[in-house]
């Protein structure tokens, strides 16, 4: 299967590192003009340079802005005119005892993990519908379905994305635009390494710490290891492609079998 996104413009929020950066690289490899987004302009420029090195000849755009604010989303809209593929990836996570999570922390998780995606969908979905083609994706998590006791605020924010995705898919019905959620499982990123070491002995070497984390905190995983960001990106590129035209309103799992369910 040849996935060709030539002539399409893609925007990946939170794409200066981790899963977002891997998705941006994969979209550029498929031929899309790819916009890299992050809060800090210098981090965006560094990620743009890494992407150009990884994909020589790629058409890459720097699109800095804090999309968790209305001002940041407006600045991004001014930078980007037509967006054909919107990947709502930006998010925050961290562990905290459930009864210690404050109102302000709950609001912050909603602003970044949910409302940022809603704003950008509201911004770019109308143009996709007018042009008769588009792709909107939300990067959710296994935590949306299996709420972790150690970070319920994060899990609940990702559960909300499942509803947001399904709702906007109905808004886009019959227009040629698809809207889907990607349920990512435990993934190996720098941020996750920090998270793992919050829960296991920091003196353990990484490979041992990873195995201990999976054994103690993610024993449901059938993969038995953390997922690599590129494995998430592969699914995102497929869902962004013309070949995925009949997949919409779905929550598609790339979770290593973590969610104990026989349905998607």
């Amino acid at each position: 299967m040849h996935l060709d996104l030539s002539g399409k413009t893609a925007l990946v929020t939170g794409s200066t590192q981790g899963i977002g950066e891997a998705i941006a690289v994969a979209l550029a490899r498929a031929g899309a003009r790819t916009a890299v987004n992050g809060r800090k302009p210098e981090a965006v420029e560094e990620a743009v340079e890494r992407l150009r090195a990884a994909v020589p000849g790629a058409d890459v755009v720097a699109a800095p802005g804090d999309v968790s604010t209305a001002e940041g989303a407006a600045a991004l809209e001014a930078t980007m005119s037509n967006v054909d593929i919107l990947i709502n990836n930006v998010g925050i996570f961290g562990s905290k005892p459930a009864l210690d999570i404050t109102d302000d922390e709950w609001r912050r998780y909603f602003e970044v993990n949910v409302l940022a995606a809603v704003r950008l969908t509201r911004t770019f979905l109308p143009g996709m519908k007018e042009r008769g083609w588009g792709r909107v994706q939300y990067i959710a998590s296994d935590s949306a379905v299996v709420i972790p006791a150690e970070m319920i605020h994060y899990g609940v924010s990702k559960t909300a994305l499942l509803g947001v995705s399904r709702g906007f898919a109905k808004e886009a019905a019959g227009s040629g635009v698809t809207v889907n959620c990607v349920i990512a499982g435990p993934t190996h990123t720098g941020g996750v390494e920090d998270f793992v070491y919050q829960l296991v002995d920091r003196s353990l070497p990484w490979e041992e710490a990873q195995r201990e984390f999976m054994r103690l905190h993610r024993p449901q995983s059938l993969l038995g290891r953390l997922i690599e960001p590129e494995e998430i990106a592969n699914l995102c590129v497929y869902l962004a492609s013309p070949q995925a035209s009949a997949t919409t309103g779905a929550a598609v799992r790339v979770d290593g079998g973590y969610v104990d369910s026989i349905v998607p």
Side-chain angles (χ1 to χ4, degrees):
M1 185 183 295
H2 179 60
L3 305 180
D4 184 5
L5 297 176
S6 300
K8 304 299 183 185
T9 296
L11 167 63
V12 186
T13 65
S15 47
T16 60
Q17 60 183 345
I19 292 173
E21 184 170 9
I23 294 171
V25 169
L27 289 169
R29 283 204 175 108
R33 177 175 181 257
T34 304
V36 175
N37 164 258
R39 289 183 298 110
K40 300 178 180 178
E42 60 273 18
V44 171
E45 290 296 339
E46 290 170 3
V48 165
E49 291 307 312
R50 289 195 299 272
L51 198 159
R52 286 176 175 150
V55 188
D59 186 356
V60 189
V61 179
D66 182 356
V67 297
S68 69
T69 68
E71 295 78 11
L76 201 58
E77 182 181 10
T79 302
M80 307 296 300
S81 51
N82 293 337
V83 170
D84 304 298
I85 300 165
L86 171 63
I87 312 290
N88 292 292
N89 167 75
V90 72
I92 54 175
F93 67 94
S95 62
K96 192 161 189 178
L99 298 179
D100 294 339
I101 304 169
T102 66
D103 287 0
D104 285 343
E105 288 170 306
W106 277 104
R107 291 187 189 99
R108 176 63 175 159
Y109 271 73
F110 185 82
E111 284 281 352
V112 178
N113 292 359
V114 184
L115 197 50
V118 170
R119 283 194 192 97
L120 292 181
T121 304
R122 207 167 53 211
T123 297
F124 294 113
L125 179 57
M128 295 179 189
K129 291 173 63 178
E130 288 173 9
R131 295 188 297 276
W133 197 94
R135 300 288 186 262
V136 179
Q137 297 176 35
Y138 304 87
I139 306 303
S141 165
D142 57 82
S143 296
V145 183
V146 185
I147 305 292
E150 72 275 6
M151 51 176 184
I152 66 169
H153 50 339
Y154 171 76
V156 168
S157 72
K158 292 299 185 177
T159 306
L161 281 183
L162 301 182
V164 166
S165 176
R166 182 69 183 179
F168 277 120
K170 292 179 179 180
E171 168 63 27
S175 67
V177 179
T178 67
V179 183
N180 293 290
C181 227
V182 173
I183 298 181
T187 306
H188 180 200
T189 65
V192 167
E193 287 191 17
D194 293 337
F195 175 66
V196 166
Y197 278 120
Q198 290 179 30
L199 298 173
V200 303
D201 187 349
R202 287 187 175 273
S203 67
L204 292 174
W206 168 244
E207 289 303 323
E208 189 177 341
Q210 175 184 199
R211 288 194 298 272
E212 185 75 353
F213 169 77
M214 297 298 286
R215 183 180 69 82
L216 293 176
H217 298 282
R218 300 293 185 270
Q220 304 98 311
S221 172
L222 303 182
L223 197 61
R225 63 167 174 83
L226 291 173
I227 299 163
E228 293 301 321
E230 292 75 17
E231 294 173 303
I232 310 294
N234 290 339
L235 178 58
C236 293
V237 172
Y238 168 70
L239 290 175
S241 72
Q243 285 88 335
S245 56
T247 302
T248 191
V252 187
R253 290 162 50 192
V254 55
D255 67 342
Y258 177 81
V259 177
D260 192 8
S261 171
I262 60 173
V263 295

